[in-house]
Amino acid sequence: MKKEPAYTIDELICTCISHQIEDGEVVAQGIATPLVAAGYLLAKLTHAPNLTFISAIGQSLCTNWAPLGVATIERLWIEQGIVTYDFVTAACDLLPHFGPKEFFRPGQVDPFGNFNNVFMGGTYQHPRLRLPGSGGIADVTPYEERVCLYVPRHGRHTFVESLDFRSGLGHIPTRQRGSGPRYLVSDLGQFDFGGENGRMRLTTLHPGVTLSRLQAKTGFPLLLPDPLPYTEPPTAQELHLLRDTIDPLGVRQLETLRGAARREKLRQILAAEAGKTG
Amino acid sequence: MIEKVRPLTAVLPHIQNGHTLGLGGMTLYRRPAAFVRALIQQKHPPQNLTLLTFTAGFASDLLIGAGLVSTVRTCYFGLESFGLAPMFTQKASTDEITIIEESEASIANGLRASMAGIGFLPSRAWQGTDLFSVRPDVQTVIDPYSGERLTAFPAISCDVAVIHVLQADRLGNCRLGGNPTVDEALAMVADTTLITAEEIVERLDAPVDIPGQVVTAVTHLPNGAWPTSCYPRYPLDGEEILRYVEMCGNGRFDEYVKRET
C-alpha cells in the first residue's frame, strides 16, 4: 500500500512560491491567483514579515493581511490597504515605480520563458481557444526584473516549443530592459532560466514525479541537473499556517481543480463564507 | 442647482446603434448589471456596440450573449475563479466579434491621454511583445531625451459610460465605495456619463470620487450591481455566477436572461 502524502500539490506550490520571496520586497498579485496570494502570505508569516503587497483587486498597497476568500475578496485587499489608488494610477505609475516581483500563470510558455495569455490554436482571428487576455502582462514583462511563472497543471499544451502569440516577454536578445522570468514552479517541479540564452532548466523534481513523466508532459527537451535533486516538501509549520491561518477555506485549490470538481469546491467555499458573514 | 436624477426609461435611449459603451467596475465587482439587463430587454436594443471596459466579466458577457456587441476593447475577459466568460469565449472564435486587443497600460494611458486632451501617451509597455501585430494602429516613438523606444498609446474615449456607484446625490456627485477601478477617469472621458446608484441622497459631503460636473444623469437602482458586488454594501453572489456559467454551458443563455428578470 502506498502511503498517503502528508501534503497536497497546491500546498507544495504555495510553499515553493513562498521560498522565492525575500523579506522587504514588494510583490504584486493578479486576478484569480489564490495560489500566489497564499504563497505570499506564507512568506509574510514565516521569513518575510516586511513584505508589501500590490493587489489587482482594490489597487492598494498592503502590509497587513487577512485570510483568503472568494465572495469577500475585496475586503481582504481594500480593508488592509495603507493607500488605495485608482487603476489608471496603478497601471501608469505604481507598477512601473515599484517594478514588483510577480507570479504569472501562462496559457503557453516557450523554452525561453516567453508566454501567452491571448489565444491557443488556430489563428488570432479564428482561435481554437480564446483566453481572457494579457491583463498587465504585456505591460510589465518588458521592464520588470523579477518576473516568475507558475503552472498548476503541467502539460504539453502549456509547455510548447513555439507560442501562438507572445504577450509575456521572456529571454530575447532584443529586450531593452528588465529580465525574462527568473523562476517557474509547476505541479511537477521547479525550474530556472539559467541555460544558454535564458533557456529553461529543471532545478528540482517534486517528490514522487519521474523524469520520464515530466519530459512526456513537456513539449520541448528540458535541460536537466546532475545529480537530480528533489523539492523540499512543506514543513509541518508551513502546512499548519496554510491550512489553519492563511486559507482555511481552501481557496488555493481552485487553481488545481477543474470543471465540475472546481465548481463543487467553489460552492463549498461560498457556503462557508455566507455562514460566516450572514 | 442642476437636478440630475432620471428614471431608467429616460436614460436607456442615450445608448444608440454603433456607440462605444464604457462599463464601469471590474470583472465581478460593482458592474452596472441591472442597467445592462434593462438595456438587453428593451424591445429594440441597440446594435453594433463597441464595448470598452477595463476588465470584462459578468455584465459584459450578458451584452455579448444578447448580441448587442460587435467589437470588444478590454485587457481581460473572464469570470476569475469561476472560469472563462462563456458567451465571450464562444463568440470570440467566430466572426461575430472583433477584438481590439488591450492591456492595463493601453487603456490606462489611453484614458489619461483623453483626459489631458492629447493624442497619445508614451509607456514602456508592449515593447518586444506581439501586441503590435494585432494592433497595427499603435505606434512606437523615441524618447527625445534618452533615445529609448516607447509605445505611444492612443487616446481612448467613449460615447456613453455607465457606472454603478454606492451613493450619489441629486447633483450627480458620486461615492464609489472603496474599489475605484478606472471609473473616475471613465466618467471624465465619456461624452455622456450615466450613473446608477444604490442610494441617492440630497447632498453628499466632500470629498466625492466623481464630481457631478462630469455626470449626465443619475438613476436609483438598488442592488444594481447584483450578482456582482457593491463593496461594502454586498459581496458578489457566487452562487448566481455559478448558475450563469452552468446554464450557458448547457446552451441556455436566452433562458437565463429571461429567468432573472
Side-chain angles (χ1 to χ4, degrees), chain A residues 117-133:
Chain A
N117 289 66
V118 171
F119 76 97
M120 284 161 71
T123 62
Y124 178 74
Q125 305 296 342
H126 297 103
R128 187 175 55 71
L129 179 64
R130 169 72 204 195
L131 300 172

Side-chain angles (χ1 to χ4, degrees), chain B residues 53-206:
Chain B
T53 189
F54 189 67
T55 55
F58 175 77
S60 299
D61 208 49
L62 291 183
L63 283 174
I64 302 258
L68 275 63
V69 174
S70 58
T71 303
V72 174
R73 305 186 71 159
T74 188
C75 77
Y76 170 96
F77 207 137
L79 301 178
E80 305 203 350
S81 291
F82 297 84
L84 298 171
M87 302 314 289
F88 168 72
T89 308
Q90 209 178 93
K91 294 201 184 187
S93 56
T94 71
D95 288 322
E96 281 181 69
I97 287 180
T98 301
I99 296 170
I100 299 179
E101 206 66 40
E102 301 283 1
S103 69
E104 290 177 1
S106 69
I107 295 180
N109 282 286
L111 291 172
R112 268 196 178 170
S114 268
M115 287 191 283
I118 53 178
F120 75 96
L121 274 174
S123 163
R124 285 182 178 143
W126 288 25
Q127 287 297 315
T129 71
D130 286 347
L131 271 293
F132 293 99
S133 70
V134 295
R135 284 294 304 275
D137 59 313
V138 177
Q139 307 289 314
T140 282
V141 290
I142 303 298
D143 181 335
Y145 303 104
S146 71
E148 184 176 358
R149 206 166 61 240
L150 298 170
T151 304
F153 287 119
I156 292 181
S157 61
C158 60
D159 296 298
V160 184
V162 181
I163 298 169
H164 186 72
V165 305
L166 183 66
Q167 280 182 315
D169 68 18
R170 307 189 75 84
L171 304 180
N173 299 305
C174 302
R175 205 164 275 153
L176 294 170
N179 191 1
T181 70
V182 301
D183 290 354
E184 293 138 288
L186 193 62
M188 284 182 77
V189 305
D191 291 344
T192 298
T193 297
L194 305 178
I195 300 294
T196 65
E198 289 292 322
E199 183 189 10
I200 297 180
V201 299
E202 195 58 36
R203 195 65 202 265
L204 283 175
D205 294 328

Side-chain angles (χ1 to χ4, degrees), chain B residues 244-260:
Chain B
Y244 175 70
V245 168
E246 287 173 350
M247 284 185 74
C248 290
N250 296 324
R252 294 161 66 198
F253 173 82
D254 291 339
E255 192 185 328
Y256 178 85
V257 178
K258 254 178 230 151
R259 188 198 66 86
E260 52 153 12

Side-chain angles (χ1 to χ4, degrees), chain A:
Chain A
M1 276 278 282
K2 209 175 162 186
K3 206 177 140 210
E4 279 288 296
Y7 58 88
T8 53
I9 191 62
D10 51 283
E11 290 163 344
L12 184 61
I13 293 173
C14 289
T15 309
C16 289
I17 289 173
S18 166
H19 294 171
Q20 293 301 311
I21 304 302
E22 291 168 35
D23 196 20
E25 279 190 311
V26 177
V27 293
Q29 193 218 338
I31 289 176
T33 55
L35 283 172
V36 177
Y40 289 169
L41 294 180
L42 184 57
K44 173 107 185 157
L45 296 184
T46 53
H47 63 279
N50 301 298
L51 201 59
T52 298
F53 313 102
I54 297 176
S55 169
I57 312 287
Q59 310 102 54
S60 50
L61 269 186
C62 305
T63 51
N64 287 328
W65 66 280
L68 301 192
V70 172
T72 53
I73 186 73
E74 284 169 294
R75 195 188 289 168
L76 191 170
W77 295 115
I78 295 169
E79 292 176 11
Q80 303 305 329
I82 48 172
V83 56
T84 296
Y85 300 92
D86 76 308
F87 223 130
V88 172
T89 307
C92 293
D93 306 333
L94 190 64
L95 292 171
H97 176 77
F98 283 105
K101 178 174 281 180
E102 185 159 2
F103 280 76
F104 298 107
R105 184 179 65 226
Q108 291 179 325
V109 57
D110 78 9
F112 299 97
N114 297 286
F115 58 108
N116 169 21
N117 289 66
V118 171
F119 76 97
M120 284 161 71
T123 62
Y124 178 74
Q125 305 296 342
H126 297 103
R128 187 175 55 71
L129 179 64
R130 169 72 204 195
L131 300 172
S134 69
I137 290 170
D139 305 333
V140 300
T141 52
Y143 64 79
E144 271 187 2
E145 293 284 351
R146 299 175 292 162
V147 170
C148 300
L149 302 175
Y150 74 109
V151 178
R153 293 189 297 261
H154 195 122
R156 295 182 80 91
H157 57 284
T158 301
F159 290 81
V160 296
E161 186 67 57
S162 88
L163 301 174
D164 290 314
F165 191 88
R166 177 163 59 207
S167 54
L169 195 62
H171 296 273
I172 63 165
T174 53
R175 162 186 281 285
Q176 293 189 115
R177 287 179 176 274
S179 167
R182 306 283 190 180
Y183 171 85
L184 185 151
V185 59
S186 77
D187 55 332
L188 300 183
Q190 298 188 94
F191 308 81
D192 70 11
F193 293 84
E196 198 179 345
N197 301 321
R199 193 177 170 96
M200 192 186 299
R201 302 187 300 194
L202 177 69
T203 54
T204 73
L205 209 52
H206 291 338
V209 178
T210 63
L211 253 190
S212 59
R213 175 157 165 246
L214 171 66
Q215 190 56 75
K217 282 179 164 278
T218 306
F220 49 82
L222 278 166
L223 300 174
L224 304 173
D226 182 28
L228 184 66
Y230 281 88
T231 311
E232 280 294 320
T235 65
Q237 189 216 4
E238 286 170 328
L239 290 173
H240 161 67
L241 285 170
L242 278 173
R243 291 171 186 173
D244 302 325
T245 305
I246 293 166
D247 184 23
L249 301 177
V251 180
R252 62 193 183 277
Q253 291 159 22
L254 293 174
E255 286 196 86
T256 52
L257 299 172
R258 61 204 315 181
R262 183 162 50 83
R263 291 199 294 274
E264 180 53 38
K265 182 70 199 173
L266 264 168
R267 287 209 156 89
Q268 281 173 20
I269 293 167
L270 293 166
E273 285 184 312
K276 215 176 277 176
T277 55

